[in-house]
Amino acid sequence: MSSDKDKVIIFDTTLRDGEQTAGAGLTADEKLRIARHLQTMKVDVIEAGFAASSPGDFKAIQQIAREIEGPVICSLARAVPGDIDAAAEAVKGAKRPRIHTFLSASDIHMMHQMRKDRETIMSMAVEAVRRAKSYVEDVEFSPMDATRTDPEYLYAVLRATIEAGATTVNIPDTVGYTNPVEFKALIEGIRENVDNIDQAVISVHCHDDLGMAVANSLAAVEGGARQVEGCINGLGERAGNAAIEEVIMALKTRFDYYGLTIDTEPGDIGATSRLVADVFGFPVQYNKAIVGQNAFRHSSGIHQDAFIKERTTFEIMEPDAVGWRGEALVLGKLSGRAGLRSRLSDVGYRLTDEEMDITFAAFKELADQKKEVTDRDLEALMSEQHRDADVERAYKVVKVDVVAGDVNMPRATITLLAPDGLERVNSSNGTGPVDAVCNAIDGMVDEEIELTEFAVNSVTEGIDALGEVTIRVRGADGNIYAGRGSSTDIVVASAKAYVNAINRVLAMAGDVATEQTQEV
Ligand code: KIV
Ligand code: ZN
């Protein structure tokens, strides 16, 4: 049996640092759906959000804390009493709650951001940990910008916060500045110079500004860190965090080298990655390690030849291990409810009879348009069912009628079901069919929005593939909101995505982070 010293704790912060990705913003329902997948993956810790940042995030953390069992549920908090109280309240319902409090420790942050001296920062950190400890046993402390902090001061802060009760001390490379050799040495230095370090787990939290976040995290593990923080698909502030799926698979695949175990199971990584991409509206690059579409595709003749003779010649991981099922064709228009239920359960959805009725009707409609319905199509279909699920005042696309081409000016007639339960119809011209659709919708919705981004992706290959549209709009509050929609007709998908973006503006306006918490 492995001891705790031989185990690396996997800390997922997709729902917190990942949500800080510019242009992201999730509803409580979306966060819960992702958390369920993280639970299936058996990650050790889910950082569900930043309770004090907005009422919506508070509610999302509370729901996750109440529903998700297994992983520790954590909320971030600045080292100020109000934040810690909010975090404690949000994670109260969890079987295993954690408060993660943080404070800048580098001189550059102290001088320009905090405008406080080292003594003040030290006592704020200690006070914050003590306050968190009065609520929960499991407290994590992060000296922000640790890799640009004077090591002697860093050691002193760590010593004091462990004494105050921190059970995990996290070493953030907040601006992605370090490199593997330097970071490993920093962790070793901490183990040598902080005399009470054996009373806490050393964690690392690496950003990817120089593309070294995963390498830095693994080097830190070699130096003695036993918790790694990261996000699915490498999302996060600026260039993102360490891609947690890469850390997981590196530790598993190179067990011969690292000799460390993890409890996390990678079988659901693929589905989790696709859900995160869908909900955040950030498609995964094709050649991304572990979860990119090409991650297990062999294209050159020499590789293919060797691969057919012996898989391990060109494959270091089993695609199955991360839930990669290729493009297996599964269902068609003659498939019944039992077949659909079984495939849905394979891709991680267990539905009530009532949900099944709605989903089966949508499936039949899709199967009429598309000869073969794959697992990917089913995931897109489920995402479509969940869109706007927890938005109270939502618009819904009822009908899209478009005339386009290069003879006459494109014109769209759109029927919407408005939040008051009444149908509205409007027609408009546009420079193209999508522009006409958006203009027609604008004429029925009172929101001031500006379209900033439009992208189409196909879910699978083939002429009848489902098209997935991502639209980003700027709301009147200046924030960016993403909307998604899928259909075998990309103009219909565009109408759905645009309306989804409008619904998010309606749902989230007034629930954006306060000015101070935006500065984290
Ligand atoms: O990057 C960072 O320093 C953070 C802290 C809040 C841990 O996200
Ligand atoms: Zn971060």
Side-chain angles (χ1 to χ4, degrees), residues 312-470:
T312 55
T313 49
F314 281 94
E315 226 166 59
I316 58 166
M317 291 167 273
E318 295 256 12
D320 270 10
V322 293
W324 204 87
R325 279 186 295 273
E327 286 90 27
L329 303 175
V330 280
L331 299 170
K333 70 180 186 187
L334 298 179
S335 306
R337 286 173 72 98
L340 176 63
R341 195 184 274 285
S342 140
R343 288 312 309 163
L344 281 172
S345 140
D346 282 351
V347 289
Y349 291 96
R350 275 157 208 85
L351 306 190
T352 62
D353 286 346
E354 201 184 320
E355 289 166 337
M356 191 63 199
D357 289 343
I358 301 169
T359 307
F360 190 61
F363 161 74
K364 282 285 173 188
E365 221 174 279
L366 177 63
D368 264 343
Q369 291 155 4
K370 223 178 158 284
K371 242 184 16 241
E372 291 147 342
V373 179
T374 68
D375 287 352
R376 298 279 190 287
D377 293 322
L378 291 183
E379 284 171 352
L381 189 103
M382 290 314 295
S383 289
E384 207 50 57
Q385 307 280 302
H386 274 273
R387 276 231 226 268
D388 304 322
D390 59 351
V391 178
E392 271 169 39
R393 292 174 51 226
Y395 287 89
K396 197 172 176 329
V397 177
V398 179
K399 229 184 285 170
V400 177
D401 188 2
V402 173
V403 183
D406 57 6
V407 179
N408 295 310
M409 195 166 195
R411 185 164 183 80
T413 302
I414 306 289
T415 309
L416 287 187
L417 182 64
D420 58 12
L422 299 175
E423 277 193 1
R424 296 184 196 170
V425 186
N426 192 35
S427 299
S428 189
N429 292 333
T431 49
V434 175
D435 187 45
V437 162
C438 295
N439 291 340
I441 293 171
D442 284 343
M444 293 182 275
V445 175
D446 295 332
E447 282 305 306
E448 282 281 309
I449 50 168
E450 179 203 345
L451 195 149
T452 59
E453 195 184 316
F454 173 86
V456 191
N457 249 305
S458 101
V459 174
T460 49
E461 285 156 9
I463 195 72
D464 62 352
L466 268 181
E468 243 171 5
V469 172
T470 305

Side-chain angles (χ1 to χ4, degrees), residues 201-340:
V201 172
I202 302 177
S203 168
V204 288
H205 174 111
C206 297
H207 279 270
D208 208 30
D209 299 65
L210 293 172
M212 292 189 279
V214 171
N216 288 337
S217 305
L218 293 168
V221 164
E222 285 191 71
R226 286 296 174 267
Q227 174 175 289
V228 177
E229 305 193 356
C231 295
I232 297 287
N233 298 345
L235 291 177
E237 190 80 45
R238 303 182 313 280
N241 288 73
I244 202 74
E245 66 277 8
E246 294 178 19
V247 173
I248 292 167
M249 290 316 288
L251 289 171
K252 279 216 163 278
T253 310
R254 295 306 311 276
F255 178 78
D256 62 317
Y257 180 77
Y258 294 104
L260 296 166
T261 60
I262 54 173
D263 288 344
T264 304
E265 291 172 2
D268 203 45
I269 280 181
T272 310
S273 160
R274 289 191 294 276
L275 176 65
V276 167
D278 177 70
V279 165
F280 279 78
F282 293 115
V284 173
Q285 78 194 48
Y286 278 25
N287 60 332
K288 160 91 179 59
I290 317 294
V291 290
Q293 288 198 19
N294 288 352
F296 296 99
R297 279 183 173 156
H298 305 273
S299 100
S300 99
I302 298 170
H303 288 212
Q304 285 177 349
D305 175 56
F307 175 81
I308 290 163
K309 289 177 182 142
E310 169 53 43
R311 186 190 67 79
T312 55
T313 49
F314 281 94
E315 226 166 59
I316 58 166
M317 291 167 273
E318 295 256 12
D320 270 10
V322 293
W324 204 87
R325 279 186 295 273
E327 286 90 27
L329 303 175
V330 280
L331 299 170
K333 70 180 186 187
L334 298 179
S335 306
R337 286 173 72 98
L340 176 63

Side-chain angles (χ1 to χ4, degrees), residues 16-17 20 76 100 102 142 144-145 170 172-174 205 207 229 241 520:
R16 197 279 295 170
D17 213 315
Q20 286 174 222
L76 186 70
H100 174 193
F102 72 97
S142 290
M144 195 153 82
D145 205 18
N170 183 37
D173 182 27
T174 304
H205 174 111
H207 279 270
E229 305 193 356
N241 288 73
V520 170

